């Protein structure tokens, strides 16, 4: 489906696809088996410039349009969700927030090294006791002269152990969303420490960490936006993060469709390829419809971003649908593979495990439904 793609976008997608097939796909299962971080892919993301794709050209990035970004993320998601997650967090959640909310000094300080991938970003919102309700977070940032001192714990932080800069949400004021501020914290600051989270069901080779901030002192110019803007910064970042996640889930579902179709054509039972059985075709057909619908919802967000229009509702819809579709697609892919889908000779088991987290993070499916319902009715069902 090439609806609305320019020749340049098609050529770009082909270049990313070829790179993913050459560098990412061959290592994905082995990295997953050993919980091994995809170093070879990160090196390649730097060499190709994909790691800085959406950062403006004046800061050394690719200055790409939102649809090209979606195309890249879909291909990365098709190849390995672990590799995709490095980029989504780095570009979508962190670099995008610096570009949107940062002062010129903050952009000049961080974006050039983020564009080359020498400095990676991580996004620190979730805490051990505050996930779906980030406005209640308890990490604090205390003003001391021309500095802030940050204390707290952050949970499940993607890129947490490898990032050079962390976007950290911490409380500077009273209770609720308006008491939260956002900070750009260099991760070599004294008092910053991380502990890797092992034993994940999926995205096992992705760097996920628990972060402790113990008296981390940053200068006042680390504040991103104004005091009290922290939840606004985080939510605007998540609008882009959900767009990215929807693109990734489209790619993962496409990988499931490709795998189940290939297997169904070569696997024979009752004297014929199982692809010829109507009930197998139903699994393939439902997945094909899901892939196209997820892609179109994702591209709808890209179109709104390109026009500079608000896309909170559309990002939630795309993320909700595409993540649930990815789980359905992966389940269907395992089903088509029969018993062979249950052992890791084939990739579909990994796809199912990797898909599973997508209905949980960047707002669970339940939270997306509440956001969509609130946007449509004007009534909040959160509390
Ligand atoms: C691998 C991984 C990577 C992650 N990366 C990051 C990261 O980089 N940065 C970051 O900040 N966070 C990250 N997260 C955290 C993630 O965003 C949270 O796990 C997620 O927001 C859910 O929060 P929780 O786990 O505390 O679940 P909870 O909020 O405790 O939710 C538990 C259940 O209750 C339901 N629920 C909660 N409130 C409501 C309600 N009002 N109505 C109906 N149902 C409700 C939820 O839908 C869910 O089913 C990551 C998580 C994982 C697993």
């Amino acid at each position: 489906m090439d609806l609305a793609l320019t020749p340049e976008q098609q050529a770009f997608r082909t270049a990313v696809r070829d790179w993913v097939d050459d560098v990412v796909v061959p290592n994905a299962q082995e990295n997953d088996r050993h919980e091994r971080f995809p170093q070879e892919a990160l090196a390649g993301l730097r060499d190709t410039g994909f790691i800085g794709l959406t950062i403006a050209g004046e800061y050394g990035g690719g200055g790409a349009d939102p649809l090209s970004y979606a195309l890249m993320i879909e291909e990365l998601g098709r190849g390995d969700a672990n590799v995709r997650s490095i980029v989504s967090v780095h570009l979508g959640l962190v670099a995008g927030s610096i570009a949107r909310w940062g002062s010129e000094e903050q952009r000049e300080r961080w974006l050039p090294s983020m564009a080359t991938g020498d400095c990676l970003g991580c996004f620190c919102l979730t805490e051990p006791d505050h996930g779906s309700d980030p406005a209640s977070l308890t990490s604090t940032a205390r003003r001391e002269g021309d500095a802030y001192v940050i204390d707290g714990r952050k949970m499940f932080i993607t890129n947490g152990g490898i990032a050079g800069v962390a976007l950290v949400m911490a409380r500077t004021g009273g209770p609720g969303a308006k008491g939260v501020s956002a900070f750009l914290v260099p991760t070599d600051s004294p008092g910053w420490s991380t502990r890797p989270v092992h034993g994940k069901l999926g995205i096992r080779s992705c760097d996920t960490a628990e972060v402790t901030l113990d008296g981390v002192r940053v200068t006042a110019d680390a504040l991103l936006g104004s005091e009290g803007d922290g939840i606004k910064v985080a939510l605007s970042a998540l609008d882009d993060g959900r767009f990215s996640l929807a693109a990734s889930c489209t790619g993962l579902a496409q990988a499931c469709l490709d795998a189940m179709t290939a297997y169904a054509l070569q696997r024979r039972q009752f004297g014929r390829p199982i692809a010829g059985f109507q009930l197998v075709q139903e699994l393939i057909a439902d997945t094909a419809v899901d892939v196209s619908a997820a892609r179109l919802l994702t591209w709808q967000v890209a179109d709104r971003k390109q026009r500079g229009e608000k896309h909170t509702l559309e990002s939630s819809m795309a993320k909700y649908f595409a993540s649930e579709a990815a789980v359905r697609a992966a389940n269907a892919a395992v089903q088509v593979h029969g018993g062979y889908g249950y052992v890791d000779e084939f990739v579909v088991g990994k796809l199912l495990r990797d898909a599973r987290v997508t209905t949980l993070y960047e707002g669970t499916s339940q939270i997306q439904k509440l956001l969509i319902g609130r946007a449509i009715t004007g009534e909040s069902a959160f509390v």
Side-chain angles (χ1 to χ4, degrees):
M1 184 181 63
D2 286 346
L3 187 79
L5 292 190
T6 64
E8 291 75 25
Q9 287 165 334
Q10 291 185 35
F12 173 69
R13 181 177 60 181
T14 302
V16 180
R17 184 171 289 169
D18 289 348
W19 179 79
V20 166
D21 286 338
D22 284 350
V23 177
V24 177
V25 172
N27 296 303
Q29 272 183 278
E30 203 54 17
N31 285 340
D32 171 70
R33 288 184 187 116
H34 300 292
E35 289 196 16
R36 189 171 65 207
F37 182 78
Q39 286 294 358
E40 66 294 328
L42 177 57
L45 288 168
R46 289 175 171 141
D47 290 345
T48 52
F50 296 156
I51 196 76
L53 189 78
T54 52
I55 295 175
E58 62 192 290
Y59 303 107
D65 60 278
L67 185 49
S68 295
Y69 178 61
L71 297 174
M72 176 179 77
I73 293 293
E74 180 181 329
E75 290 304 323
L76 294 176
R78 180 182 63 80
D80 187 3
N82 295 279
V83 176
R84 187 280 309 168
S85 66
I86 301 170
V87 182
S88 285
V89 171
H90 170 71
L91 284 180
L93 293 178
V94 186
S97 297
I98 296 173
R100 194 175 307 114
W101 291 89
S103 64
E104 195 44 46
E105 290 71 27
Q106 287 171 323
R107 290 183 197 148
E108 279 170 12
R109 173 165 184 197
W110 294 112
L111 293 181
S113 57
M114 295 184 79
T116 58
D118 291 328
C119 173
L120 294 176
C122 70
F123 178 79
C124 299
L125 180 63
T126 305
E127 299 183 345
D129 295 329
H130 303 282
S132 299
D133 180 20
S136 301
L137 61 79
T138 56
S139 295
T140 56
R142 194 175 70 254
R143 184 84 195 225
E144 275 189 11
D146 65 352
Y148 287 92
V149 179
I150 306 177
D151 289 283
R153 275 169 69 213
K154 297 289 178 178
M155 196 61 197
F156 298 132
I157 304 306
T158 305
N159 293 348
I162 54 171
V165 62
L167 175 51
V168 175
M169 269 50 73
R171 190 164 295 286
T172 47
K178 291 191 176 134
V180 177
S181 301
F183 296 90
L184 294 170
V185 177
T187 59
D188 57 4
S189 304
W192 167 278
S193 62
T194 65
R195 188 182 64 83
V197 176
H198 289 298
K200 286 175 292 181
L201 178 66
I203 56 166
R204 289 161 52 85
S205 55
C206 171
D207 180 280
T208 309
E210 181 176 352
V211 172
T212 302
L213 297 112
D214 183 7
V216 171
R217 178 176 287 270
V218 291
T219 49
D221 59 8
L223 182 68
L224 187 65
S226 302
E227 269 201 21
D229 279 345
I231 293 295
K232 280 195 238 166
V233 170
L235 294 183
S236 70
L238 287 170
D239 285 350
D240 277 2
R242 289 167 186 160
F243 164 52
S244 187
L245 196 46
S248 174
C249 289
T250 305
L252 193 152
Q254 179 71 58
C256 295
L257 179 60
D258 295 345
M260 73 172 91
T261 305
Y263 186 82
L265 286 168
Q266 62 90 14
R267 176 70 174 171
R268 296 177 71 86
Q269 290 293 293
F270 300 96
R272 59 191 288 206
I274 61 169
F277 297 122
Q278 291 179 350
L279 293 177
V280 173
Q281 287 197 10
E282 181 183 45
L283 292 165
I284 293 171
D286 284 347
T287 303
V289 174
D290 268 348
V291 170
S292 283
R295 187 175 289 129
L296 285 170
L297 282 168
T298 305
W299 288 14
Q300 172 176 246
V301 181
D303 184 53
R304 291 187 73 90
K305 277 177 69 64
Q306 182 68 38
R307 293 165 197 267
E309 291 171 4
K310 194 165 165 53
H311 53 89
T312 302
L313 171 62
E314 291 77 11
S315 286
S316 274
M317 292 198 299
K319 191 272 181 184
Y320 166 53
F321 183 85
S323 60
E324 294 286 347
V327 175
R328 281 195 296 274
N331 249 321
V334 170
Q335 196 66 24
V336 170
H337 281 69
Y340 294 98
Y342 201 67
V343 290
D344 81 344
E345 178 187 348
F346 290 90
V347 75
V348 291
K350 172 180 181 295
L351 292 172
L352 179 58
R353 291 184 289 100
D354 288 350
R356 195 60 194 82
V357 76
T358 64
T359 70
L360 301 174
Y361 64 13
E362 302 214 11
T364 64
S365 289
Q366 287 73 30
I367 293 302
Q368 303 310 324
K369 288 190 222 186
L370 296 184
L371 291 169
I372 295 165
R374 184 176 68 185
I376 290 170
T377 65
E379 294 285 337
S380 174
F382 275 94
V383 284

